Amino acid sequence: MNGGGLLVAGTTSDAGKSVVTAGICRWLVRRGVKVAPFKAQNMSLNSFVTREGAEIGRAQAMQAQASRVEPTALMNPVLLKPGGEKSSQVVLMGRPVGEMSARGYHGGRQQQLLGTVLDCLAELRGTYDAVICEGAGSPAEINLRRTDIVNMGIARNARLPVLVVGDIDRGGVFASFFGTVALLSPEDQEFVAGFLVNKFRGDVSLLEPGLDMLHGLTGRRTYGVLPFRHGLGIDEEDGLRVSLRGTVRESNVAPPVGEDVLRVAVCAVPLMSNFTDVDALAAEPGVVVRFVDRPEELADADLVVVPGTRGTVRALEWLRERGLARALVRRAVERRPTLGICGGFQILGERIEDEVESRAGEVPGLGILPVRVRFAREKTLTRPVGDALGERVEGYEIHHGVASVDGGETFLDGCRVGQTWGTHWHGSLESDGFRRAFLREVAAAAGRRFVPAPDTSFAALREEQLDRLGDLIEQHADTDALWRLIESGAPQGLPFIPPGAPA
């Protein structure tokens, strides 16, 4: 017997589908329901490695944590990792299977994957009491409906009720809700059960007349109004959706333990991947994390992070074009702290030989670290464990580049020279003891009277965030009605809203 299910769709990208899905998962697991997340197809450069060595979207890993289950490839069978404006690497069941243009993927390949996606969902529904699925973009993308496997395509095939989330903070939420339903075919509309308002500021009583009118116009109710809350944008899928220059990563509001703050500048390289690596830094009291794209913005940084990227050679060219490369070399000469992670580590090396990602052949790196990198066709996907600075460290690796280190001090399978550090390990800064030891070294090198908080637990902070998401659902949604949806499906007899999808 299959467990219950629900598809959380959105009026737009970034409407809040990921966090609402996580919140529903956390609410359910707290009431004793065995629940799992699912996203048929994810487009993201923020990914994670499961214990079996499969690559999935970080959002699904976060939702699995909300569900208190171990993430697996079943929860995100198709992951698309953009490599440019028109092509992506296709990761199927956790393993890359090739590069494909958007036209080629939507022209036939996507529909071929529907069977795999439905099999994964069926396996999860056979194991769990409930599976909470996340859609992608909007279900009303009429140009893509024919080959859709992540929104109404999977809802109809798996007979899942659909809850449409709208971000009212953007404005136009009523038109977005109505228009989303009205652009679906009669067959698709049967599965759209209702709406959830996200990021509301103000007095809900002022919103209620509009919700009543929306019900009258569509025959569909609103299942909750979630208030706006700061600090809940965890493990985003598609990258920061605003200009990265000067963007401050949401930080802990606690004051510094020592006399000084520590300023961290993250180079906003193209195709930046796993920028969530710096979340553990931003969680430290007194650490201010900014994304930057100009060399002068590195001048007052106590630590510069060169993050991962899906385009190492392209990112290297970007750093050179903007003068950031010279600023990084100057920092190394002046023994000012810099950390390169994955693609950022490769950039700091002497040479990159790439016939796989950019096919640029041999390209000189910045020459700061004694490292040579050769791109292999097989992707490294591992969950390493080790020691650094006298502390235990856990991380995960996702890269094609194979590094040969010839000198320097060993550092997390990478190396360190002076105050420049490089590693392929994502997530290492989430290890609390190591992060504190690293920040102490950075503060000493930067001449800052910064002291890491002795009791900051990144895992505990993440749990608190997930509980806050569960609280939002429990306190501001009609949970009895939500459970009926999950258990029994969309209400019968929902009216058709014209004009429907074009033929």
Side-chain angles (χ1 to χ4, degrees):
M1 179 179 176
N2 275 347
L6 175 70
L7 177 71
V8 178
T11 55
T12 61
S13 293
D14 208 30
K17 298 183 293 292
S18 296
V19 293
V20 167
T21 299
I24 293 174
C25 288
R26 178 50 60 102
W27 158 64
L28 286 172
V29 77
R30 290 196 307 205
R31 62 178 285 175
V33 176
K34 187 180 178 185
V35 60
F38 178 78
K39 185 160 186 173
Q41 171 197 295
N42 196 346
M43 176 171 280
S44 178
L45 287 173
N46 282 338
S47 57
F48 182 75
V49 179
T50 67
R51 294 208 179 277
E52 73 266 33
E55 185 180 8
I56 66 172
R58 271 200 70 101
Q60 280 60 65
M62 177 266 290
Q63 291 160 357
Q65 186 177 346
S67 307
R68 296 178 180 149
V69 296
E70 190 66 34
T72 72
L74 291 172
M75 297 171 184
N76 180 206
V78 181
L79 173 64
L80 305 178
K81 303 193 72 175
E85 292 296 320
K86 296 182 179 180
S87 68
S88 294
Q89 183 181 67
V90 181
V91 179
L92 178 62
M93 295 303 294
R95 295 287 172 181
V97 294
E99 297 279 334
M100 186 166 288
S101 69
R103 179 176 292 276
Y105 183 70
H106 290 288
R109 176 61 167 161
Q110 184 179 34
Q111 188 66 21
Q112 295 169 8
L113 298 173
L114 180 61
T116 300
V117 162
L118 291 172
D119 287 346
C120 290
L121 178 56
E123 186 170 342
L124 289 173
R125 294 182 77 182
T127 306
Y128 292 88
D129 301 329
V131 179
I132 308 303
C133 308
E134 180 187 342
S138 162
E141 289 168 349
I142 53 180
N143 55 317
L144 303 178
R145 177 60 185 92
R146 183 177 60 84
T147 56
D148 171 51
I149 65 170
V150 66
N151 289 309
M152 300 313 301
I154 195 165
R156 275 177 59 182
N157 275 283
R159 304 197 66 78
L160 294 171
V162 178
L163 182 69
V164 181
V165 177
D167 179 356
I168 197 169
D169 197 47
R170 292 181 171 188
V173 74
F174 292 116
S176 298
F177 281 147
F178 184 88
T180 296
V181 179
L183 278 177
L184 300 178
S185 69
E187 296 80 6
D188 284 351
Q189 288 191 23
E190 289 178 14
F191 292 91
V192 179
F195 314 108
L196 186 76
V197 177
N198 191 29
K199 298 184 183 178
F200 179 72
R201 306 173 192 249
D203 184 347
V204 176
S205 66
L206 298 176
L207 187 67
E208 287 170 350
L211 300 179
D212 291 340
M213 285 186 273
L214 183 67
H215 189 188
L217 288 165
T218 66
R220 290 157 174 86
R221 57 165 298 182
T222 298
Y223 284 78
V225 178
L226 307 186
F228 186 95
R229 291 288 186 268
H230 286 285
L232 294 181
I234 49 179
D235 291 2
E236 292 100 327
E237 284 184 0
D238 302 324
L240 299 177
R241 293 186 171 277
V242 294
S243 171
L244 284 168
R245 191 178 67 76
T247 297
V248 178
R249 195 73 174 145
E250 288 179 336
S251 303
N252 194 306
V253 295
V257 175
E259 297 179 45
D260 290 342
V261 299
L262 206 65
R263 291 181 283 267
V264 179
V266 184
C267 296
V269 297
L271 298 174
M272 182 166 46
S273 61
N274 287 63
F275 59 78
T276 47
D277 280 332
V278 301
D279 283 354
L281 294 177
E284 281 284 347
V287 176
V288 180
V289 178
R290 297 190 307 161
F291 291 90
V292 303
D293 63 2
R294 297 192 305 209
E296 57 269 27
E297 293 175 301
L298 304 189
D300 67 345
D302 303 309
L303 170 67
V304 171
V305 177
V306 188
T309 171
R310 241 292 264 155
T312 300
V313 171
R314 178 178 167 187
L316 179 57
E317 292 171 350
W318 181 87
L319 290 168
R320 287 187 165 122
E321 289 167 0
R322 290 179 171 261
L324 287 158
R326 289 191 301 275
L328 288 169
V329 172
R330 187 163 57 249
R331 286 185 68 89
V333 172
E334 295 171 355
R335 297 179 67 84
R336 302 179 65 202
T338 299
L339 172 64
I341 303 173
C342 200
F345 166 44
Q346 297 166 6
I347 284 167
L348 298 177
E350 297 172 348
R351 186 184 70 189
I352 298 168
E353 186 181 333
D354 181 13
E355 299 292 350
V356 175
E357 193 175 77
S358 67
R359 298 181 177 84
E362 190 169 311
V363 177
L366 298 187
I368 299 172
L369 294 176
V371 175
R372 296 186 176 188
V373 176
R374 178 185 57 81
F375 274 63
R377 297 202 175 276
E378 187 71 19
K379 183 183 280 191
T380 297
L381 295 167
T382 62
R383 292 272 292 269
V385 177
D387 294 279
L389 303 179
E391 300 286 347
R392 179 180 171 83
V393 188
E394 296 183 20
Y396 57 99
E397 295 186 51
I398 305 169
H399 54 91
H400 285 279
V402 179
S404 300
V405 180
D406 186 23
E409 301 174 45
T410 300
F411 173 68
L412 299 180
D413 292 340
C415 71
R416 170 190 182 180
V417 173
Q419 290 299 324
T420 303
W421 319 61
T423 178
H424 273 132
W425 291 24
H426 294 289
S428 62
L429 294 166
E430 296 179 19
S431 298
D432 297 326
F434 165 70
R435 182 180 65 256
R436 286 192 277 269
F438 177 69
L439 289 176
R440 280 193 292 269
E441 290 231 6
V442 168
R448 296 289 181 192
R449 290 169 295 183
F450 169 85
V451 179
D455 54 357
T456 301
S457 166
F458 184 75
L461 289 171
R462 174 52 56 87
E463 278 296 302
E464 287 175 17
Q465 282 187 308
L466 294 173
D467 276 331
R468 288 172 66 197
L469 292 177
D471 292 343
L472 281 178
I473 299 298
E474 194 167 317
Q475 296 167 11
H476 300 282
D478 185 339
T479 52
D480 289 340
L482 270 182
W483 178 246
R484 286 194 296 272
L485 272 187
I486 293 166
E487 197 173 34
S488 305
Q492 296 297 305
L494 292 169
F496 169 68
I497 308 302

